[in-house]
Amino acid sequence: MRQNPERRAALLDAAIEVLAREGSRGLTLRAVDAEAAVPTGTASNYFAHRGQLLVQILHRTRERLAPKAEDLAGPLDTKVLLGRLMERMRRERSVHVAMLELRLEATRRPEIQEEMARFQALELEANVTWHLDAGLPGDRDGVVLLYFAMLGMIVDDLTVPALLEAHPVDHLLEVMVERLLPERPTG
């Protein structure tokens, strides 16, 4: 297998675009070669099989979606951070759509489901830990609920954006933060 990291990243970025545009059935090594504008057979030099490609796409999506320093700049405010997350999601729409396709593929392929479950659990734990370590309001359960609520909003924004038109996202983010992450625990 070839190890040129820049070429591998370019092929994975091409695969993300194919997956987002064509769906899982359209994702072939040939389609990745065409999207990356490289000679036929190049992707097969980097990925032994389609399953390996899918797992590496999963990891590449996280590299591309990780917040940059400017996304976390300024005083930490959960609503502002969530707004920036929505902006990144809209800017990187194809990466998020590719992730949805990977989730669907995981329902049919146990090896992908296993990798995705492990990967998503690590991501969730990292998000919860970062939130709590940053001293932002809320407890562990509230942060977990916020994660799943945001995931649902992102899925709807990607797949049926008209559904959110009647519900301004900024307002929903504010309500989610107020209700799920109170300054002081209730009870």
Side-chain angles (χ1 to χ4, degrees):
M1 289 290 131
R2 299 268 170 98
Q3 297 302 317
N4 178 330
E6 293 83 19
R7 173 66 61 95
R8 180 178 297 280
L11 289 167
L12 289 169
D13 289 341
I16 287 168
E17 294 303 318
V18 170
L19 188 58
R21 187 179 59 245
E22 305 294 330
S24 183
R25 290 179 188 244
L27 181 68
T28 64
L29 295 173
R30 272 182 182 256
V32 171
D33 289 338
E35 182 71 23
V38 296
T40 301
T42 302
S44 63
N45 288 326
Y46 284 83
F47 312 105
H49 49 80
R50 190 170 176 276
Q52 183 186 63
L53 174 63
L54 289 167
V55 168
Q56 289 193 33
I57 289 170
L58 174 64
H59 292 277
R60 180 65 179 160
T61 62
R62 289 302 153 222
E63 290 172 13
R64 288 189 46 189
L65 295 177
K68 294 176 179 37
E70 61 266 18
D71 294 323
L72 303 174
L76 295 180
D77 175 278
T78 305
K79 181 185 172 284
V80 170
L81 293 171
L82 295 176
R84 290 176 185 167
L85 171 63
M86 289 298 289
E87 289 169 10
R88 281 196 324 275
M89 181 274 301
R90 290 174 175 153
R91 222 177 22 249
E92 292 281 355
R93 186 178 190 286
S94 61
V95 180
H96 286 278
V97 171
M99 273 301 298
L100 291 175
E101 289 289 342
L102 287 171
R103 285 173 177 267
L104 292 171
E105 187 71 14
T107 66
R108 296 178 288 274
R109 297 183 64 154
E111 72 278 9
I112 302 297
Q113 187 174 71
E114 184 179 313
E115 179 70 13
M116 181 162 284
R118 185 187 66 72
F119 190 79
Q120 295 294 104
L122 290 171
E123 179 182 82
L124 174 57
E125 186 56 35
N127 280 319
V128 170
T129 299
W130 183 88
H131 185 99
L132 296 175
D133 288 351
L136 291 165
D139 61 9
R140 175 176 272 298
D141 289 339
V143 178
V144 170
L145 285 170
L146 184 66
Y147 176 91
F148 289 118
M150 282 301 297
L151 181 59
M153 187 182 305
I154 288 170
V155 168
D156 284 344
D157 194 79
L158 289 168
T159 59
V160 284
L163 182 62
L164 291 177
E165 288 174 3
H167 310 281
V169 171
D170 283 344
H171 174 71
L172 292 176
L173 294 176
E174 188 172 317
V175 171
M176 277 196 297
V177 169
E178 287 173 8
R179 294 189 184 169
L180 296 175
L181 305 175
E183 289 290 334
R184 284 185 222 121
T186 58

